[in-house]
Coordinates of all heavy atoms in Angstrom, one line a residue:
M1 N 95.9 10.6 241.0 CA 97.2 11.1 241.4 C 97.1 12.1 242.5 O 96.3 13.0 242.4 CB 97.8 11.7 240.1 CG 99.1 12.3 240.4 SD 99.8 12.5 238.8 CE 100.9 13.6 239.0
R2 N 97.9 12.0 243.4 CA 97.8 12.9 244.6 C 99.1 13.8 244.6 O 100.2 13.3 244.4 CB 97.7 12.1 245.9 CG 97.6 12.9 247.1 CD 97.4 12.1 248.3 NE 97.6 13.0 249.4 CZ 97.4 12.6 250.6 NH1 97.0 11.4 250.9 NH2 97.6 13.5 251.6
L3 N 98.9 15.1 244.9 CA 100.0 16.1 244.9 C 100.1 16.7 246.3 O 99.1 17.3 246.7 CB 99.8 17.2 243.9 CG 100.9 18.2 243.7 CD1 102.2 17.5 243.3 CD2 100.5 19.2 242.7
D4 N 101.1 16.5 247.0 CA 101.3 17.1 248.3 C 102.2 18.4 248.2 O 103.3 18.3 247.6 CB 102.0 16.1 249.3 CG 101.1 15.0 249.7 OD1 99.8 15.3 249.7 OD2 101.5 13.9 249.8
I5 N 101.7 19.5 248.7 CA 102.5 20.7 248.6 C 102.8 21.2 250.1 O 101.9 21.3 250.9 CB 101.7 21.9 247.9 CG1 101.4 21.4 246.5 CG2 102.5 23.2 248.0 CD1 100.6 22.4 245.7
A6 N 104.0 21.4 250.3 CA 104.4 21.9 251.7 C 104.8 23.3 251.6 O 105.5 23.8 250.8 CB 105.6 21.1 252.2
V7 N 104.2 24.1 252.5 CA 104.5 25.6 252.6 C 105.4 25.8 253.8 O 105.0 25.4 254.9 CB 103.2 26.3 252.8 CG1 103.5 27.8 252.9 CG2 102.3 26.1 251.6
T8 N 106.5 26.4 253.6 CA 107.4 26.7 254.7 C 107.4 28.2 255.0 O 107.2 29.0 254.1 CB 108.8 26.3 254.4 OG1 109.3 27.0 253.2 CG2 108.9 24.8 254.1
G9 N 107.6 28.6 256.2 CA 107.6 30.0 256.5 C 106.2 30.5 256.8 O 105.2 29.8 256.6
A10 N 106.1 31.7 257.3 CA 104.8 32.3 257.6 C 104.1 32.8 256.4 O 104.7 33.5 255.6 CB 104.9 33.4 258.6
V11 N 102.9 32.4 256.2 CA 102.1 32.8 255.0 C 101.7 34.3 255.1 O 101.6 35.0 254.1 CB 100.9 31.9 254.8 CG1 100.1 32.4 253.6 CG2 101.3 30.5 254.7
D12 N 101.4 34.8 256.3 CA 100.9 36.1 256.4 C 102.0 37.2 256.5 O 101.7 38.4 256.6 CB 100.0 36.3 257.7 CG 100.8 35.9 258.9 OD1 101.9 35.3 258.9 OD2 100.3 36.3 260.0
S13 N 103.3 36.8 256.4 CA 104.4 37.8 256.4 C 104.6 38.4 255.0 O 104.5 37.6 254.0 CB 105.6 37.2 257.0 OG 106.1 36.2 256.1
P14 N 104.9 39.6 254.8 CA 105.1 40.2 253.5 C 106.4 39.7 252.9 O 107.4 39.3 253.6 CB 105.2 41.7 253.8 CG 105.6 41.8 255.2 CD 105.1 40.6 255.9
A15 N 106.4 39.6 251.6 CA 107.6 39.2 250.9 C 108.7 40.2 251.1 O 108.5 41.4 251.0 CB 107.3 39.0 249.4
A16 N 109.9 39.8 251.3 CA 111.0 40.7 251.5 C 111.7 41.0 250.2 O 112.5 40.2 249.7 CB 112.0 40.0 252.5
Y17 N 111.4 42.1 249.6 CA 112.0 42.5 248.3 C 113.0 43.6 248.5 O 113.6 44.2 247.6 CB 111.0 43.0 247.3 CG 110.0 41.9 246.9 CD1 108.7 41.8 247.3 CD2 110.5 40.8 246.1 CE1 107.9 40.8 246.9 CE2 109.6 39.8 245.7 CZ 108.3 39.8 246.1 OH 107.5 38.8 245.7
G18 N 113.2 44.0 249.8 CA 114.2 45.1 250.1 C 113.6 46.5 250.1 O 114.2 47.4 250.4
I19 N 112.3 46.6 249.6 CA 111.7 47.9 249.5 C 111.4 48.5 250.9 O 111.7 49.7 251.2 CB 110.4 47.9 248.6 CG1 110.8 47.5 247.2 CG2 109.7 49.2 248.7 CD1 109.6 47.2 246.3
V20 N 110.9 47.7 251.7 CA 110.5 48.2 253.1 C 111.7 48.6 253.8 O 111.8 49.6 254.5 CB 109.7 47.1 253.8 CG1 109.5 47.5 255.3 CG2 108.4 46.8 253.1
D21 N 112.8 47.8 253.7 CA 114.0 48.1 254.4 C 114.6 49.4 253.9 O 115.2 50.2 254.7 CB 115.1 47.0 254.2 CG 114.7 45.7 254.9 OD1 113.9 45.8 255.9 OD2 115.1 44.6 254.5
T22 N 114.5 49.7 252.6 CA 115.0 50.9 252.0 C 114.2 52.1 252.5 O 114.7 53.2 252.8 CB 115.0 50.9 250.5 OG1 115.7 49.7 250.1 CG2 115.5 52.1 249.9
L23 N 112.9 52.0 252.6 CA 112.0 53.1 253.0 C 112.1 53.4 254.5 O 111.8 54.5 254.8 CB 110.6 52.7 252.6 CG 110.3 52.7 251.1 CD1 108.8 52.3 250.9 CD2 110.6 54.0 250.4
K24 N 112.5 52.5 255.3 CA 112.5 52.8 256.7 C 113.6 53.8 257.1 O 113.5 54.5 258.1 CB 112.7 51.5 257.5 CG 114.1 50.9 257.5 CD 114.2 49.7 258.4 CE 115.6 49.2 258.4 NZ 115.8 48.0 259.2
D25 N 114.6 54.0 256.2 CA 115.7 54.9 256.4 C 115.4 56.3 255.9 O 116.1 57.3 256.1 CB 117.0 54.4 255.9 CG 117.5 53.2 256.6 OD1 117.2 53.0 257.8 OD2 118.2 52.4 255.9
V26 N 114.3 56.4 255.1 CA 114.0 57.7 254.4 C 113.8 58.9 255.4 O 114.4 59.9 255.2 CB 112.7 57.6 253.5 CG1 112.2 58.9 253.0 CG2 113.1 56.7 252.3
P27 N 113.0 58.7 256.5 CA 112.9 59.9 257.4 C 114.3 60.3 258.0 O 114.5 61.6 258.0 CB 112.0 59.4 258.5 CG 111.2 58.3 257.9 CD 112.2 57.6 256.9
T28 N 115.1 59.4 258.3 CA 116.4 59.8 258.9 C 117.3 60.5 257.8 O 117.9 61.5 258.0 CB 117.2 58.6 259.4 OG1 116.4 58.0 260.4 CG2 118.5 58.9 260.0
Q29 N 117.3 59.9 256.6 CA 118.0 60.5 255.5 C 117.5 61.9 255.1 O 118.3 62.8 254.8 CB 118.0 59.6 254.2 CG 118.7 58.3 254.4 CD 118.4 57.3 253.3 OE1 117.6 57.5 252.5 NE2 119.2 56.2 253.3
L30 N 116.2 62.0 255.1 CA 115.6 63.4 254.8 C 116.0 64.4 255.9 O 116.3 65.5 255.6 CB 114.1 63.2 254.7 CG 113.3 64.5 254.3 CD1 113.8 65.0 252.9 CD2 111.8 64.2 254.2
N31 N 115.9 64.0 257.1 CA 116.2 64.9 258.2 C 117.7 65.3 258.1 O 118.0 66.4 258.3 CB 116.0 64.1 259.6 CG 116.1 65.1 260.7 OD1 116.0 66.3 260.6 ND2 116.3 64.5 261.9
D32 N 118.6 64.3 257.8 CA 120.0 64.6 257.7 C 120.3 65.6 256.5 O 121.1 66.5 256.6 CB 120.8 63.3 257.5 CG 120.9 62.5 258.7 OD1 120.5 63.0 259.8 OD2 121.2 61.3 258.6
A33 N 119.6 65.3 255.4 CA 119.7 66.2 254.2 C 119.3 67.6 254.5 O 119.9 68.6 254.1 CB 118.9 65.6 253.0
I34 N 118.1 67.8 255.2 CA 117.6 69.1 255.6 C 118.6 69.8 256.5 O 118.9 71.0 256.4 CB 116.2 69.0 256.1 CG1 115.2 68.6 255.1 CG2 115.8 70.3 256.8 CD1 113.8 68.3 255.6
R35 N 119.1 69.1 257.5 CA 120.0 69.6 258.5 C 121.3 70.1 257.7 O 121.8 71.2 258.0 CB 120.4 68.6 259.5 CG 121.3 69.2 260.6 CD 121.5 68.2 261.7 NE 120.3 68.0 262.5 CZ 119.7 66.8 262.7 NH1 120.3 65.7 262.4 NH2 118.6 66.7 263.4
L36 N 121.8 69.3 256.8 CA 123.0 69.7 256.1 C 122.8 70.9 255.2 O 123.6 71.8 255.1 CB 123.5 68.5 255.2 CG 124.7 68.8 254.3 CD1 125.9 69.1 255.2 CD2 125.0 67.5 253.4
F37 N 121.6 70.9 254.5 CA 121.2 72.0 253.7 C 121.1 73.3 254.5 O 121.7 74.3 254.1 CB 119.9 71.7 253.0 CG 119.3 72.9 252.2 CD1 119.9 73.2 251.0 CD2 118.2 73.6 252.7 CE1 119.4 74.3 250.3 CE2 117.7 74.7 252.0 CZ 118.3 75.0 250.7
L38 N 120.5 73.3 255.6 CA 120.3 74.5 256.5 C 121.7 74.9 257.0 O 121.9 76.1 257.1 CB 119.4 74.2 257.6 CG 117.9 74.1 257.2 CD1 117.0 73.7 258.4 CD2 117.4 75.3 256.6
S39 N 122.5 74.0 257.3 CA 123.9 74.3 257.8 C 124.6 75.1 256.7 O 125.3 76.1 256.9 CB 124.6 73.1 258.2 OG 126.0 73.4 258.5
K40 N 124.5 74.6 255.4 CA 125.2 75.2 254.3 C 124.6 76.6 254.0 O 125.4 77.6 253.8 CB 125.1 74.4 253.1 CG 126.0 73.2 253.1 CD 126.0 72.4 251.8 CE 126.9 71.2 251.9 NZ 126.9 70.4 250.6
V41 N 123.3 76.7 254.1 CA 122.6 78.0 253.9 C 123.1 79.0 255.0 O 123.4 80.2 254.7 CB 121.1 77.9 253.9 CG1 120.4 79.2 254.0 CG2 120.6 77.2 252.6
G42 N 123.2 78.5 256.2 CA 123.6 79.4 257.3 C 125.0 79.9 257.1 O 125.3 81.1 257.3
S43 N 125.9 79.0 256.7 CA 127.3 79.4 256.4 C 127.4 80.4 255.3 O 128.2 81.3 255.4 CB 128.1 78.1 256.1 OG 128.2 77.3 257.1
I44 N 126.6 80.1 254.2 CA 126.7 81.1 253.1 C 126.1 82.4 253.5 O 126.7 83.5 253.1 CB 125.9 80.5 251.9 CG1 126.6 79.3 251.3 CG2 125.6 81.5 250.8 CD1 125.8 78.5 250.3
L45 N 125.0 82.5 254.2 CA 124.5 83.7 254.7 C 125.5 84.5 255.6 O 125.6 85.7 255.5 CB 123.2 83.5 255.4 CG 122.0 83.3 254.5 CD1 120.7 83.0 255.3 CD2 121.7 84.5 253.6
E46 N 126.1 83.7 256.5 CA 127.1 84.3 257.4 C 128.2 85.0 256.6 O 128.6 86.1 256.9 CB 127.6 83.3 258.4 CG 128.6 83.9 259.4 CD 129.1 82.8 260.3 OE1 128.7 81.6 260.3 OE2 130.0 83.1 261.1
H47 N 128.7 84.2 255.7 CA 129.8 84.7 254.9 C 129.4 86.0 254.0 O 130.1 87.0 253.9 CB 130.3 83.6 253.9 CG 131.5 84.0 253.2 ND1 131.5 84.5 251.9 CD2 132.9 84.1 253.5 CE1 132.7 84.8 251.4 NE2 133.5 84.5 252.4
T48 N 128.2 85.9 253.5 CA 127.7 87.0 252.7 C 127.5 88.2 253.5 O 127.8 89.3 253.1 CB 126.3 86.5 252.0 OG1 126.6 85.4 251.2 CG2 125.8 87.7 251.2
L49 N 126.9 88.0 254.7 CA 126.6 89.2 255.5 C 127.9 89.8 256.0 O 128.0 91.1 256.2 CB 125.7 88.8 256.7 CG 124.3 88.5 256.4 CD1 123.5 88.1 257.6 CD2 123.6 89.7 255.7
Q50 N 129.0 89.0 256.2 CA 130.3 89.6 256.6 C 130.8 90.4 255.5 O 131.4 91.5 255.7 CB 131.2 88.5 257.0 CG 130.9 87.9 258.4 CD 131.8 86.7 258.7 OE1 132.6 86.2 257.8 NE2 131.7 86.2 259.9
D51 N 130.7 89.9 254.2 CA 131.2 90.6 253.1 C 130.4 91.8 252.8 O 130.9 92.9 252.4 CB 131.2 89.7 251.8 CG 132.3 88.6 251.8 OD1 133.2 88.7 252.7 OD2 132.2 87.7 251.0
V52 N 129.1 91.7 252.9 CA 128.2 92.8 252.6 C 128.2 93.9 253.6 O 128.0 95.1 253.3 CB 126.8 92.3 252.4 CG1 125.8 93.4 252.3 CG2 126.7 91.4 251.2
S53 N 128.5 93.6 254.9 CA 128.5 94.6 255.9 C 129.6 95.6 255.9 O 129.6 96.5 256.7 CB 128.3 93.9 257.3 OG 129.5 93.2 257.6
S54 N 130.7 95.3 255.1 CA 131.8 96.3 255.1 C 131.9 96.8 253.7 O 131.6 96.2 252.7 CB 133.1 95.6 255.5 OG 133.4 94.6 254.5
L55 N 132.3 98.0 253.6 CA 132.5 98.7 252.4 C 133.9 99.4 252.4 O 134.1 100.2 253.3 CB 131.4 99.8 252.2 CG 131.5 100.6 250.9 CD1 131.3 99.7 249.7 CD2 130.4 101.7 250.9
E56 N 134.7 99.0 251.5 CA 136.0 99.6 251.4 C 136.1 100.6 250.3 O 135.8 100.2 249.1 CB 137.1 98.5 251.2 CG 138.5 99.0 251.2 CD 139.5 97.9 251.1 OE1 139.3 96.8 251.6 OE2 140.6 98.2 250.5
V57 N 136.5 101.8 250.6 CA 136.6 102.8 249.5 C 138.0 103.4 249.6 O 138.5 103.8 250.6 CB 135.6 104.0 249.8 CG1 135.8 105.1 248.7 CG2 134.2 103.5 249.8
R58 N 138.7 103.4 248.4 CA 140.0 104.0 248.3 C 139.9 105.2 247.5 O 139.4 105.2 246.4 CB 141.0 103.0 247.7 CG 141.2 101.7 248.6 CD 142.1 100.8 248.0 NE 142.2 99.6 248.8 CZ 143.2 98.7 248.7 NH1 144.1 98.9 247.9 NH2 143.2 97.7 249.5
T59 N 140.5 106.2 248.0 CA 140.4 107.5 247.3 C 141.8 108.1 247.2 O 142.5 108.2 248.2 CB 139.4 108.5 248.0 OG1 138.2 107.9 248.2 CG2 139.3 109.8 247.3
Y60 N 142.1 108.6 246.0 CA 143.3 109.4 245.8 C 143.0 110.8 246.2 O 142.0 111.4 245.6 CB 143.8 109.2 244.4 CG 145.0 110.1 244.1 CD1 146.2 109.8 244.5 CD2 144.8 111.3 243.4 CE1 147.3 110.6 244.2 CE2 145.9 112.1 243.1 CZ 147.1 111.8 243.6 OH 148.2 112.6 243.3
V61 N 143.7 111.4 247.1 CA 143.5 112.7 247.5 C 144.6 113.6 247.0 O 145.8 113.3 247.1 CB 143.4 112.8 249.1 CG1 143.2 114.2 249.5 CG2 142.3 111.9 249.6
S62 N 144.2 114.7 246.5 CA 145.1 115.7 246.0 C 144.7 117.1 246.6 O 143.6 117.3 247.1 CB 144.9 115.8 244.5 OG 145.7 116.9 244.0
D63 N 145.7 118.0 246.7 CA 145.5 119.3 247.2 C 144.5 120.1 246.4 O 143.7 120.9 247.0 CB 146.8 120.1 247.4 CG 147.7 119.5 248.4 OD1 147.1 118.8 249.3 OD2 148.9 119.7 248.4
N64 N 144.4 119.9 245.2 CA 143.5 120.7 244.3 C 142.5 119.8 243.6 O 142.4 119.7 242.4 CB 144.3 121.5 243.3 CG 145.2 120.6 242.4 OD1 145.3 119.4 242.7 ND2 145.9 121.2 241.5
I65 N 141.7 119.0 244.5 CA 140.7 118.1 243.9 C 139.5 119.0 243.4 O 139.1 120.0 244.1 CB 140.2 117.1 245.0 CG1 139.3 116.1 244.4 CG2 139.5 117.8 246.1 CD1 139.1 114.9 245.3
E66 N 139.0 118.6 242.3 CA 137.8 119.3 241.8 C 136.6 118.9 242.5 O 136.3 117.8 242.9 CB 137.6 118.9 240.3 CG 138.8 119.4 239.4 CD 138.6 119.0 238.0 OE1 137.4 118.7 237.6 OE2 139.5 118.9 237.2
Q67 N 135.7 119.9 242.8 CA 134.5 119.7 243.5 C 133.6 118.7 242.7 O 132.8 117.9 243.3 CB 133.8 121.0 243.8 CG 134.5 121.8 244.8 CD 134.6 121.1 246.2 OE1 133.7 120.5 246.6 NE2 135.7 121.3 246.8
A68 N 133.5 118.8 241.4 CA 132.7 117.9 240.6 C 133.1 116.5 240.8 O 132.3 115.6 240.9 CB 132.7 118.3 239.2
L69 N 134.4 116.2 240.8 CA 134.9 114.9 241.0 C 134.6 114.4 242.4 O 134.2 113.2 242.6 CB 136.4 114.8 240.7 CG 137.1 113.5 240.9 CD1 136.5 112.5 239.9 CD2 138.6 113.6 240.7
W70 N 134.7 115.2 243.4 CA 134.4 114.8 244.7 C 132.9 114.5 244.9 O 132.6 113.6 245.6 CB 134.8 116.0 245.7 CG 134.6 115.6 247.1 CD1 133.6 116.0 248.0 CD2 135.3 114.6 247.9 NE1 133.7 115.4 249.2 CE2 134.7 114.5 249.2 CE3 136.4 113.7 247.6 CZ2 135.1 113.7 250.1 CZ3 136.8 112.9 248.6 CH2 136.2 112.8 249.8
A71 N 132.1 115.3 244.2 CA 130.6 115.0 244.2 C 130.3 113.6 243.6 O 129.5 112.9 244.1 CB 129.9 116.1 243.5
V72 N 131.0 113.3 242.5 CA 130.8 112.0 241.9 C 131.2 110.9 242.8 O 130.5 109.9 243.0 CB 131.5 111.9 240.5 CG1 131.6 110.5 240.0 CG2 130.9 112.9 239.5
H73 N 132.4 111.1 243.4 CA 132.9 110.1 244.4 C 131.9 109.9 245.5 O 131.6 108.7 245.9 CB 134.2 110.5 244.9 CG 134.7 109.7 246.0 ND1 135.2 108.4 245.8 CD2 134.8 109.9 247.4 CE1 135.6 107.9 247.0 NE2 135.3 108.8 248.0
T74 N 131.4 110.9 246.1 CA 130.5 110.9 247.3 C 129.2 110.2 246.9 O 128.7 109.4 247.6 CB 130.2 112.3 247.8 OG1 131.5 112.9 248.1 CG2 129.3 112.2 249.0
D75 N 128.7 110.5 245.7 CA 127.5 109.9 245.2 C 127.7 108.4 245.0 O 126.8 107.6 245.3 CB 127.1 110.5 243.8 CG 125.8 110.0 243.3 OD1 124.8 110.0 244.1 OD2 125.8 109.5 242.2
M76 N 128.8 108.0 244.5 CA 129.1 106.5 244.2 C 129.2 105.8 245.6 O 128.7 104.7 245.7 CB 130.4 106.4 243.4 CG 130.2 106.8 242.0 SD 131.8 106.7 241.0 CE 132.1 105.0 241.0
V77 N 129.8 106.4 246.6 CA 129.9 105.8 247.9 C 128.5 105.6 248.5 O 128.1 104.6 249.1 CB 130.8 106.6 248.8 CG1 130.7 106.1 250.3 CG2 132.2 106.5 248.4
T78 N 127.7 106.7 248.4 CA 126.3 106.6 248.9 C 125.5 105.5 248.2 O 124.8 104.7 248.9 CB 125.6 108.0 248.7 OG1 126.4 109.0 249.4 CG2 124.2 108.0 249.2
R79 N 125.6 105.4 246.9 CA 124.9 104.3 246.2 C 125.4 102.9 246.6 O 124.6 102.0 246.7 CB 125.1 104.5 244.6 CG 124.3 105.7 244.1 CD 124.5 105.7 242.6 NE 123.9 107.0 242.1 CZ 123.6 107.1 240.8 NH1 123.9 106.2 239.9 NH2 123.1 108.2 240.4
A80 N 126.7 102.8 246.8 CA 127.3 101.5 247.2 C 126.7 101.1 248.6 O 126.4 99.9 248.8 CB 128.8 101.6 247.2
Q81 N 126.7 102.1 249.5 CA 126.1 101.8 250.8 C 124.6 101.4 250.7 O 124.2 100.5 251.4 CB 126.3 103.0 251.7 CG 127.7 103.3 252.1 CD 127.9 104.6 252.8 OE1 127.1 105.5 252.6 NE2 128.9 104.7 253.6
A82 N 123.9 102.0 249.8 CA 122.4 101.7 249.7 C 122.3 100.3 249.1 O 121.5 99.5 249.5 CB 121.8 102.7 248.8
N83 N 123.2 100.0 248.1 CA 123.1 98.6 247.5 C 123.5 97.6 248.5 O 122.8 96.5 248.6 CB 124.1 98.5 246.3 CG 123.6 99.2 245.1 OD1 122.4 99.5 245.0 ND2 124.5 99.6 244.2
R84 N 124.4 97.8 249.4 CA 124.8 96.9 250.4 C 123.7 96.7 251.4 O 123.4 95.5 251.8 CB 126.1 97.3 251.2 CG 127.3 97.5 250.3 CD 128.1 96.2 250.5 NE 129.3 96.4 249.6 CZ 130.2 95.5 249.6 NH1 130.1 94.4 250.3 NH2 131.2 95.7 248.8
A85 N 123.0 97.7 251.8 CA 121.9 97.6 252.7 C 120.8 96.8 252.1 O 120.1 96.0 252.7 CB 121.4 99.0 253.1
E86 N 120.5 97.0 250.8 CA 119.4 96.3 250.1 C 119.8 94.8 250.0 O 118.9 93.9 250.2 CB 119.2 96.9 248.7 CG 117.9 96.4 248.1 CD 116.7 96.7 248.8 OE1 116.6 97.8 249.5 OE2 115.7 95.9 248.8
M87 N 121.1 94.5 249.8 CA 121.5 93.1 249.7 C 121.3 92.4 251.1 O 120.9 91.3 251.1 CB 122.9 93.0 249.2 CG 123.1 93.3 247.8 SD 124.8 93.4 247.2 CE 125.4 91.7 247.6
I88 N 121.6 93.1 252.1 CA 121.4 92.5 253.5 C 120.0 92.3 253.7 O 119.6 91.2 254.2 CB 122.0 93.5 254.6 CG1 123.5 93.5 254.5 CG2 121.5 93.1 255.9 CD1 124.2 94.5 255.4
K89 N 119.1 93.2 253.4 CA 117.6 93.0 253.5 C 117.2 91.8 252.7 O 116.4 91.0 253.2 CB 116.9 94.2 253.1 CG 116.9 95.4 254.0 CD 116.1 96.6 253.4 CE 116.4 97.9 254.2 NZ 115.7 99.0 253.6
T90 N 117.6 91.7 251.5 CA 117.2 90.6 250.6 C 117.7 89.2 251.2 O 116.9 88.3 251.2 CB 117.8 90.8 249.2 OG1 117.3 92.0 248.7 CG2 117.3 89.6 248.3
A91 N 118.9 89.2 251.7 CA 119.5 87.9 252.2 C 118.7 87.5 253.5 O 118.4 86.3 253.7 CB 121.0 88.1 252.6
V92 N 118.4 88.5 254.4 CA 117.7 88.2 255.6 C 116.3 87.7 255.3 O 115.7 86.8 255.8 CB 117.7 89.4 256.5 CG1 116.7 89.2 257.7 CG2 119.1 89.6 257.1
S93 N 115.6 88.4 254.3 CA 114.3 88.0 253.9 C 114.2 86.6 253.3 O 113.4 85.8 253.6 CB 113.8 89.0 252.9 OG 112.5 88.6 252.4
A94 N 115.2 86.3 252.5 CA 115.3 85.0 251.9 C 115.5 83.9 252.9 O 114.8 82.8 252.9 CB 116.4 84.9 250.8
A95 N 116.4 84.1 253.9 CA 116.6 83.2 254.9 C 115.4 83.0 255.8 O 115.0 81.9 256.2 CB 117.8 83.6 255.8
S96 N 114.7 84.1 256.1 CA 113.5 84.0 256.9 C 112.4 83.2 256.2 O 111.7 82.4 256.8 CB 113.0 85.4 257.2 OG 111.8 85.4 257.9
T97 N 112.2 83.5 254.9 CA 111.2 82.7 254.1 C 111.6 81.2 254.1 O 110.7 80.4 254.2 CB 111.1 83.3 252.7 OG1 110.8 84.7 252.8 CG2 110.1 82.5 251.9
L98 N 112.8 80.9 253.9 CA 113.2 79.5 253.8 C 113.0 78.8 255.2 O 112.4 77.7 255.2 CB 114.7 79.4 253.5 CG 115.3 78.0 253.5 CD1 114.7 77.2 252.4 CD2 116.8 78.1 253.3
L99 N 113.3 79.5 256.2 CA 113.1 78.9 257.6 C 111.6 78.7 257.9 O 111.2 77.8 258.5 CB 113.8 79.7 258.6 CG 115.3 79.6 258.6 CD1 115.9 80.6 259.6 CD2 115.8 78.2 258.8
E100 N 110.8 79.7 257.4 CA 109.4 79.6 257.6 C 108.8 78.4 256.9 O 107.9 77.7 257.4 CB 108.7 80.9 257.1 CG 107.2 81.0 257.5 CD 107.0 81.1 259.0 OE1 107.8 81.6 259.7 OE2 105.9 80.6 259.4
T101 N 109.3 78.1 255.7 CA 108.7 77.0 254.9 C 109.1 75.7 255.5 O 108.4 74.7 255.3 CB 109.2 77.0 253.4 OG1 110.6 77.0 253.4 CG2 108.7 78.2 252.7
L102 N 110.2 75.6 256.2 CA 110.7 74.4 256.8 C 110.2 74.2 258.3 O 110.5 73.2 258.9 CB 112.2 74.3 256.8 CG 112.8 74.3 255.4 CD1 114.4 74.4 255.5 CD2 112.4 73.0 254.6
K103 N 109.5 75.2 258.8 CA 109.0 75.1 260.1 C 108.0 74.0 260.2 O 107.1 73.8 259.4 CB 108.3 76.4 260.5 CG 107.9 76.5 262.0 CD 107.0 77.6 262.3 CE 107.6 78.9 262.5 NZ 106.7 79.9 262.9
P104 N 108.0 73.1 261.3 CA 107.0 72.1 261.4 C 105.6 72.6 261.6 O 105.5 73.7 262.2 CB 107.5 71.3 262.7 CG 108.7 72.0 263.2 CD 109.0 73.2 262.3
V105 N 104.7 71.9 261.1 CA 103.3 72.4 261.2 C 102.7 72.2 262.5 O 102.9 71.4 263.3 CB 102.4 71.6 260.1 CG1 101.0 72.1 260.2 CG2 103.0 71.8 258.8

């Protein structure tokens, strides 16, 4: 008994299971994801720095304000300014570290 087998198509071409087609878009998708992520981080940092860079203090003033109360108020304002400055340093440091890790080798 004789069996004839016919092969159609190229034998040396890889089977098309859709995996190769899916993987070819990965670099573009990764690049787009990183670009979107950095854009969002930039927007958040910009908004944060705008909020952090201003300090609004409202004070009720009276003709006979007590010196002790005024000293407490002044101390609180000084602490708030120091906290704002520290937050700005932390935000800038975090952004710098993030950008350094994403820098091409």
Side-chain angles (χ1 to χ4, degrees):
M1 177 165 157
R2 181 177 170 174
L3 183 62
D4 290 326
I5 299 176
V7 177
T8 59
V11 176
D12 60 343
S13 66
Y17 295 109
I19 296 172
V20 174
D21 291 336
T22 303
L23 293 178
K24 75 177 182 180
D25 294 333
V26 168
T28 302
Q29 292 170 349
L30 184 59
N31 190 21
D32 291 345
I34 290 172
R35 185 175 291 129
L36 179 63
F37 174 74
L38 290 177
S39 175
K40 286 183 179 182
V41 167
S43 295
I44 290 169
L45 282 175
E46 180 181 355
H47 185 263
T48 301
L49 290 176
Q50 286 175 353
D51 286 349
V52 170
S53 64
S54 65
L55 177 65
E56 183 177 327
V57 177
R58 294 182 184 197
T59 306
Y60 174 76
V61 179
S62 173
D63 289 337
N64 54 356
I65 190 168
E66 296 178 20
Q67 289 300 320
L69 179 61
W70 183 251
V72 169
H73 170 75
T74 304
D75 183 55
M76 290 175 66
V77 170
T78 302
R79 288 182 187 198
Q81 290 172 334
N83 285 340
R84 297 265 180 177
E86 192 62 35
M87 286 175 61
I88 290 172
K89 286 180 191 176
T90 302
V92 169
S93 175
S96 176
T97 301
L98 178 64
L99 291 175
E100 188 65 33
T101 60
L102 297 175
K103 187 195 281 187
V105 180

